[in-house]
Amino acid sequence: MMMRAVLCASLAANIGLAIYAAQTAKSPKPAHADAPVVAANTSGVAPATTQPQTITWREAKDAYSRAKAAGLDEPLARRVLAASLQAMPDWTEPYWKSPVTRETERQQAEFDFQSALRRDLVELVGPGAVDELAFRSLFFPLAAKLPFLSSEQQIGIQEIKLQEQRRLLQESGGHGGFQHASAIFQDTLQQIRKILSEEQFFEYELRVSPAAQVLAGNGFDFTEEEFRKVFRASGGQSAIRFQGLGFTLTGQPNGSDKTLAAIETALGPQRFAEYRRAQDPTFKLLAAIGADRGIEPGAIDKAYDIIVATAARRNQIHAGGPLMTGAQRESLKNIESEQQAELSKLLGPQALEVFNQSLNPQLPVMGGGALVRPRGIVAGASPR
């Protein structure tokens, strides 16, 4: 009992002491047997503190066995094992390779090392090691982002993503082009989908998909419930790119109106109006000019509403096709003049000039440009 208490106290204070106690418990030595001779310190300078070295996995396994043999409680003995789980694989960076290759090889070496640790732990401790709190980071490596997945699913996703990186390096060689890379990305997605249920896959996409990252970064302050609703209404698995007042959905070039209607239903009219403005480059430009020139927010809102309404009128004329009659061209000219006059009253001539110059007609039309000089919505967003 006395030796057991000493072991427990030693482990609680210092893992290194616990390992030492476990190793010497069966054959205790006198306190003076191996004590080093310490010379008197007469320099007046405090000696440097020696930092304990991290134990290796082999040392930890040996200490675990000895600690159990010495009678140490199983939960405390497992803490000896847990102390070594932060160890890294014996890997030297190949500095002569590209950064992408180096990082891929490093991640692969770390994954292989951790896989070996998991196998050893299950062999030593039993299947219950998977649910042991001390080993959680090893068996649940994606718990911070995907806590709803099992250990097997999280490790499986890690392995699938590593395969994706290797394929990008080996098959593309940096020169495979976007289409080849897209095919690899889609294959990865299908492999992940096979190991998840439909609801789990939705939750996975909600957290890590390119569509979710675009949605989260579009400038609108979602609540969690709103984000989930809008992501689901937007198609979930489709990559989303916002352009002016419409979305472009991969594989759904004509789906923007339907998507916006679904999002409006999810958010409600007031929040949808805020959502639409928050991510529209035209509104952002107006707001920036207004802040710089001291224009009232109400005037900025009215100016934006005029631009939106004018864009709708233009789109009606363009809906007839690329060939227009003289009357249609005259109507477009009048619409442009009316918009400029109304914006000048709200913003002032100088601010309006800055606004117009910022919408360079020589650049590809995106966002706000599609409102001022509509050229149609471009379909086919990137799958990544």
Side-chain angles (χ1 to χ4, degrees), residues 57 64 74-75 77-85 117-118 121-122 124-141 151:
W57 176 240
Y64 172 77
E74 178 69 15
R78 292 184 183 187
R79 289 178 60 187
V80 177
L81 287 176
S84 69
L85 296 185
L117 290 184
R118 284 189 282 264
L121 272 172
V122 171
L124 281 171
V125 178
V130 175
D131 299 315
E132 187 79 33
L133 184 60
F135 310 141
R136 183 169 178 79
S137 62
L138 187 65
F139 286 100
F140 292 86
S151 172

Side-chain angles (χ1 to χ4, degrees), residues 308-318 331-332 335 338 342:
V308 172
T310 303
R313 294 171 63 190
R314 289 198 189 93
N315 288 336
Q316 288 180 349
I317 296 175
H318 282 283
S331 294
L332 286 175
I335 288 173
E338 290 173 12
E342 293 182 66

Side-chain angles (χ1 to χ4, degrees), residues 21 40 42 89 97 145 157 219 269 294:
T42 59
K97 297 184 180 181
K145 183 169 287 188
I157 288 175

Side-chain angles (χ1 to χ4, degrees), residues 51-99:
Q51 297 294 330
Q53 294 183 349
T54 302
I55 61 175
T56 66
W57 176 240
R58 180 177 297 179
E59 291 170 339
K61 289 195 298 182
D62 183 60
Y64 172 77
S65 299
R66 290 177 180 273
K68 288 189 65 177
L72 194 64
D73 285 343
E74 178 69 15
L76 292 178
R78 292 184 183 187
R79 289 178 60 187
V80 177
L81 287 176
S84 69
L85 296 185
Q86 300 302 318
M88 296 298 293
D90 185 14
W91 180 77
T92 302
E93 182 176 84
Y95 60 87
W96 59 92
K97 297 184 180 181
S98 73

Side-chain angles (χ1 to χ4, degrees), residues 89-224:
D90 185 14
W91 180 77
T92 302
E93 182 176 84
Y95 60 87
W96 59 92
K97 297 184 180 181
S98 73
V100 175
T101 301
R102 293 200 301 264
E103 178 59 18
T104 299
E105 291 185 2
R106 184 197 67 78
Q107 291 183 19
Q108 184 65 58
E110 186 174 342
F111 179 82
D112 293 340
F113 181 73
Q114 291 177 345
S115 296
L117 290 184
R118 284 189 282 264
R119 288 193 298 269
D120 282 354
L121 272 172
V122 171
E123 183 179 341
L124 281 171
V125 178
V130 175
D131 299 315
E132 187 79 33
L133 184 60
F135 310 141
R136 183 169 178 79
S137 62
L138 187 65
F139 286 100
F140 292 86
L142 305 179
K145 183 169 287 188
L146 305 170
F148 54 91
L149 297 183
S150 68
S151 172
E152 184 179 2
Q153 288 171 322
Q154 292 187 25
I155 296 169
I157 288 175
Q158 268 196 326
E159 189 168 15
I160 290 170
K161 295 297 289 183
L162 277 172
Q163 291 173 357
E164 176 188 82
Q165 291 182 38
R166 290 198 303 270
R167 286 186 62 188
L168 287 170
L169 284 173
Q170 295 169 2
E171 299 179 25
S172 298
H175 306 286
F178 174 75
Q179 290 186 344
H180 185 70
S182 297
I184 294 177
F185 296 147
Q186 291 302 316
D187 185 53
T188 294
L189 201 62
Q190 291 306 313
Q191 291 184 56
I192 291 175
R193 193 164 193 167
K194 289 178 182 178
I195 65 175
L196 305 180
S197 68
E198 283 298 317
E199 188 57 32
Q200 286 175 333
F201 185 72
F202 173 78
E203 295 292 336
Y204 172 83
E205 286 276 283
L206 193 66
R207 290 161 173 78
V208 303
S209 70
Q213 304 310 307
V214 171
L215 192 62
N218 69 7
F220 184 70
D221 188 16
F222 288 105
T223 64
E224 182 180 2

